[in-house]
Amino acid sequence: MGVAVSTAQWQQTSRTAGGLYPAQAPTGRVTGLPTTSGSKPFQLWAQGLFCTERSLAKRLKNNSFYPFTQQQPNVFVLEYYLDTLWKGTLLFFVCLFLVSFGLVSEVQKQETWGFPAYGLGVGLWLMISSLPRRRLVLNHVSGVYHFSIQGRTVCQGPMHLVYVRMALSSDGYGRCFFQLVLCGHKLEPLVLVQLSERYEQMEYLGRHIARKLNINYFDCLATSYRHVVRHRPPGAAFSPGILLRKTGA
Amino acid sequence: MRWRDRVAVLFFPQGMILTMAALMLFFIHLIVFASDVHSFCVTHRYDRMSFRYTVVLMFSQVIGICWAAMGSLYAEMTHDKFRRCFSLTILMLNGAMFFKRLSLEFLAIQYREENH
């Protein structure tokens, strides 16, 4: 009962907040790495790391198509850098510091400068492979999504291959933790909320995002009544896995 | 292909990068192993062997096996016969290298520097 009441309050707050704050175009921010106007390429770094579903709801209030920006009606663009950029840079500079000052170069007559040297190599690789900017475009006018890295097209496909998914992991005592992920075929999975225990709030946010972006939403279980399917693969009505509901009459 | 495409291919696909890194590590370990066997069996100059680098070498061998295994996992998902065979071969080579290195360290354990 307590859960149902809090869900109702949550929905009420979000609806009034949606009415109070009309969707504003996010202002462009000057950053060190090149971006196009009107996009925040580092917005997903904090979101994937610490933030809960409340901060996602707050960001959705400011930009109802979060994390995308609406370029034209029914065309959504997302430009981002992978979070391995800051992880690789951090690893690289820490290992560079260790190697140059010789802090761990010899332990008990064993040469151990190889460990920070390894860290240098791995950090450099992570940094270089994350430097190109990723760009994901959802184009409902032509019905395709387009994923490119620094202008080079990686994948272009129909809209039923991009979706918002709730992922479930549980610990040894049976406590369930939920994660909201935006992913697709040949796309890099983007974590929108990293870890949360509140299923109803997460499901509401996932469905809201999927409704705004007009893509599919899937629940944590493979077979479930809670999927929201807006786009089907062509010819899916005849596949044996989908049961058609008999319309009365 | 333009040269930029050739460089960009280094970033994709994921599985090939891990297999290539494991192959590079395998060649490095092979060179070190060959020089150690030469010092141990042929010239009997035990001070030229790699005893001071044993910890890093073992760590590197294990990392090579892990990367080869991950690359093999990615290759299995692509259903490409050449890529699957190639990454499995690299995995087996790295595994064999690890056990050869372990045997050599065991054989040469009496010849390490004494510390009292």
Side-chain angles (χ1 to χ4, degrees), chain A residues 106 109-115 118 122 125 128-129 132 134 147 149 152 154 188, chain B residues 5 8 10-12 17 25 51-56 59-60 63 67 112-113 115:
Chain A
E106 191 169 323
K109 297 254 173 130
Q110 282 278 322
E111 302 272 347
T112 50
W113 52 264
F115 292 107
Y118 251 97
V122 171
W125 169 253
I128 290 181
S129 68
R134 274 90 173 140
F147 182 58
I149 295 185
R152 245 187 75 247
V154 173
E188 294 161 344
Chain B
D5 281 349
L10 279 180
F11 302 151
F12 275 81
I17 294 301
L25 281 181
F51 292 135
R52 295 176 68 86
Y53 293 93
T54 305
V55 176
V56 177
F59 172 74
S60 170
I63 291 289
W67 283 353
R112 287 178 173 261
E113 187 186 338
N115 296 311

Side-chain angles (χ1 to χ4, degrees), chain A residues 42-79:
Chain A
F42 305 113
Q43 61 184 344
L44 285 169
W45 285 6
Q47 194 63 40
L49 207 54
F50 322 105
C51 296
T52 64
E53 66 272 5
R54 293 221 169 250
S55 76
L56 180 63
K58 225 182 310 186
R59 288 179 195 238
L60 278 171
K61 265 190 258 173
N62 294 334
N63 172 19
S64 52
F65 302 106
Y66 183 85
F68 290 79
T69 54
Q70 190 183 33
Q71 244 183 16
Q72 300 153 31
N74 283 333
V75 176
F76 306 109
V77 178
L78 170 66
E79 288 190 339

Side-chain angles (χ1 to χ4, degrees), chain B residues 12-24:
Chain B
F12 275 81
Q14 248 174 330
M16 284 306 286
I17 294 301
L18 289 165
T19 309
M20 284 303 165
L23 183 67
M24 252 175 36

